[in-house]
Amino acid sequence: MMSTISPVRRERVPLARAKLLKISRHAASVAGFLLAWQILGMWGLVKWLPPAADTLARTAELAVDPDFLEDLGGTLIAAAIGLPLAILVAVPIGLLLGTVPVVEEMTRVFVEFLRPIPSVALIPLALFFFQPEINAKIALIVFAASWPILINTLYGVRDVDPVGKETLRSFGFGAGAVIWRVSLPSAAPFIATGVRLAASITLILAISVEYIVGGSSGIGGFLIEASTGIGMDAMIDVVAVLLWAGAIGIVVNTLLMRAERRLFRWREA
């Protein structure tokens, strides 16, 4: 008797099982980590490490804490403004450097000089030139987040098949049309990877500025207030805020990865 299961369904069953197995492995690793954390904190095996249960409870409480939510909003607003600005700045520059070798050669020394400068070291300079503080945060985010986008755009343009560009030129298209129709679409997956890397940088830098400045709004300011407390309760607050920061980073990275897969399915194929 022949099976009535369609070939498409036969393919979906192993994929569903593999996905379920992957989720189970992730869940098991998280559960094992939390169990080890709880034991180490409860028994005092690691100094000043709060138990996992108390920390997770405090993390959940922060979800309805108006002061924390206000600070969280301040950090996310700065990141949400800075990242698109970085894209608007870095992508055109990367396209220019990747398509005009003379310009890339002339500016290489400046790029190599500016790129290694730690963005945190520029905080005093940014606060001097940009007021109020959120403008300084945005300016530093744009500076730091632009580099991975610019470099990925540059290498993405260099990776474009020259046959495609020459074919378009042979049909009478100009340089702008070649960039728009061939270079930019081909480099788009590289640009998306750069944006995903830059997204984590925006969050890190926003919190760093808030923490170093002191007395400012945002997650960094909340961390300063939490760290001025006394005893284990203060440490629980600090770790709970860090868990929130990590969770936001995971969510943003996951959303960008899914968007990247949907937009560039042809690349995986």
Side-chain angles (χ1 to χ4, degrees):
M1 183 176 179
M2 296 183 64
S3 174
T4 58
I5 302 177
S6 65
V8 176
R9 187 176 178 184
R10 288 177 183 175
E11 291 179 2
R12 288 178 178 175
V13 171
L15 289 175
R17 289 178 178 174
K19 188 174 182 180
L20 181 61
L21 181 60
K22 184 178 180 180
I23 294 174
S24 301
R25 288 174 177 171
H26 286 310
S29 64
V30 172
F33 172 76
L34 292 177
L35 179 61
W37 178 6
Q38 177 67 19
I39 292 173
L40 292 174
M42 187 172 57
W43 291 352
L45 298 178
V46 178
K47 187 178 181 181
W48 294 111
L49 178 66
D54 297 339
T55 307
L56 293 177
R58 179 55 179 157
T59 304
E61 291 175 1
L62 290 177
V64 293
D65 186 332
D67 293 333
F68 175 74
L69 293 179
E70 183 179 355
D71 287 331
L72 177 63
T75 299
L76 294 180
I77 288 173
I81 296 174
L83 183 59
L85 289 177
I87 296 172
L88 292 175
V89 170
V91 171
I93 295 176
L95 289 172
L96 177 63
L97 299 182
T99 54
V100 186
V102 175
V103 177
E104 193 273 333
E105 184 69 26
M106 293 174 61
T107 58
R108 183 181 302 170
V109 63
F110 299 102
V111 171
E112 295 302 326
F113 172 75
L114 294 172
R115 190 159 60 101
I117 296 177
S119 301
V120 177
L122 297 175
I123 291 177
L125 195 63
L127 291 172
F128 181 80
F129 284 105
F130 299 98
Q131 292 293 333
E133 178 198 316
I134 188 172
N135 293 337
K137 282 195 291 187
I138 293 172
L140 286 170
I141 286 172
V142 172
F143 175 82
S146 293
W147 295 113
I149 302 173
L150 190 153
I151 299 302
N152 275 274
T153 303
L154 174 61
Y155 284 106
V157 172
R158 287 179 177 176
D159 195 60
V160 175
D161 186 1
V163 176
K165 295 190 289 187
E166 293 300 327
T167 301
L168 211 62
R169 291 193 185 101
S170 67
F171 282 97
F173 288 92
V178 172
I179 294 174
W180 181 253
R181 294 173 179 267
V182 178
S183 298
L184 186 58
S186 298
F190 292 87
I191 297 173
T193 301
V195 171
R196 185 157 49 85
L197 295 173
S200 60
I201 293 175
T202 61
L203 186 62
I204 293 170
L205 198 58
I207 296 175
S208 298
V209 174
E210 295 160 356
Y211 189 83
I212 291 176
V213 171
S216 61
S217 61
I219 296 179
F222 194 92
L223 272 173
I224 292 177
E225 294 181 5
S227 61
T228 56
I230 300 174
M232 188 60 71
D233 290 339
M235 185 59 64
I236 289 176
D237 284 346
V238 170
V239 178
V241 174
L242 295 179
L243 288 179
W244 267 96
I248 293 170
I250 291 175
V251 170
V252 172
N253 185 70
T254 301
L255 292 176
L256 290 176
M257 285 186 66
R258 289 187 176 182
E260 190 176 338
R261 289 172 182 171
R262 284 181 175 238
L263 291 172
F264 309 117
R265 289 178 179 176
W266 53 268
R267 187 186 184 192
E268 295 182 3

